[in-house]
Amino acid sequence: TTVRVTDDDSPLSALMHEEIRLVNEEQREPLERWSVQGLAHRLLGAIDAAVYGPRARAGIRIVAPIAGQSIPRSVCAGVGDGQVSVMAVAVELSHFTLPREGMWCVWLNGDEQSCVGDGDVLETDVALPAEVCAGSHLELKAVLRAGLETPLVVRESEVLRIGLV
């Protein structure tokens, strides 16, 4: 089996070069310092970085609601009576193809709420819990996630501050 690594700056390349150096210069057995689990974890991380790292052109932007917009507190009507209010959030993606390259997710006040990875779906409803409705504003952010096992955040939108009036 031959492993060919062409990017000398990649994590996968660094991992392979270090192992080759240890075998050649220090006469160690190949991979002796790694447990199978440890090596698998490092290799998965290196593959993730090599495959999903080059997202330099990828981008995500929230297009609805609009930055600086205020929404009426009546959107939260019924919260606490077993109902959950929702707010539609729409995004625009650039240089990122769903689902092939990953998914996009919405964060509300710093917590991830919803992720979408289906085809051309660029809008989702986000639940507004009672504690959010009790505040004077909310903060929204959208992220792009990509990866093999646990998808990593590869890009983030600007944080939008939306007033509740």
Side-chain angles (χ1 to χ4, degrees), residues 43-103:
L43 189 57
L44 183 59
I47 291 170
D48 262 351
V51 173
Y52 297 103
R55 299 269 178 255
R57 295 178 55 192
I60 185 166
R61 182 174 73 91
I62 297 174
V63 294
I66 299 169
Q69 175 182 355
S70 293
I71 57 174
R73 195 169 294 281
S74 61
V75 166
C76 294
V79 170
D81 297 329
Q83 297 179 353
V84 176
S85 296
V86 296
M87 176 177 58
V89 175
V91 299
E92 179 180 88
L93 304 179
S94 58
H95 306 287
F96 194 84
T97 305
L98 299 172
R100 185 182 72 211
E101 295 179 320
M103 66 183 108

Side-chain angles (χ1 to χ4, degrees), residues 21 25 32 43 51 67 160:
R21 186 190 69 75
E25 295 175 13
E32 76 177 29
L43 189 57
V51 173
L160 300 185

Side-chain angles (χ1 to χ4, degrees), residues 69-73 75-76 128 132-138 162-165:
Q69 175 182 355
S70 293
I71 57 174
R73 195 169 294 281
V75 166
C76 294
L128 298 175
V132 170
C133 290
S136 61
H137 69 279
L138 58 92
I162 307 295
L164 288 168
V165 293

Side-chain angles (χ1 to χ4, degrees), residues 95-112:
H95 306 287
F96 194 84
T97 305
L98 299 172
R100 185 182 72 211
E101 295 179 320
M103 66 183 108
W104 65 273
C105 304
V106 176
W107 291 48
L108 174 65
N109 290 351
D111 294 318
E112 193 166 274

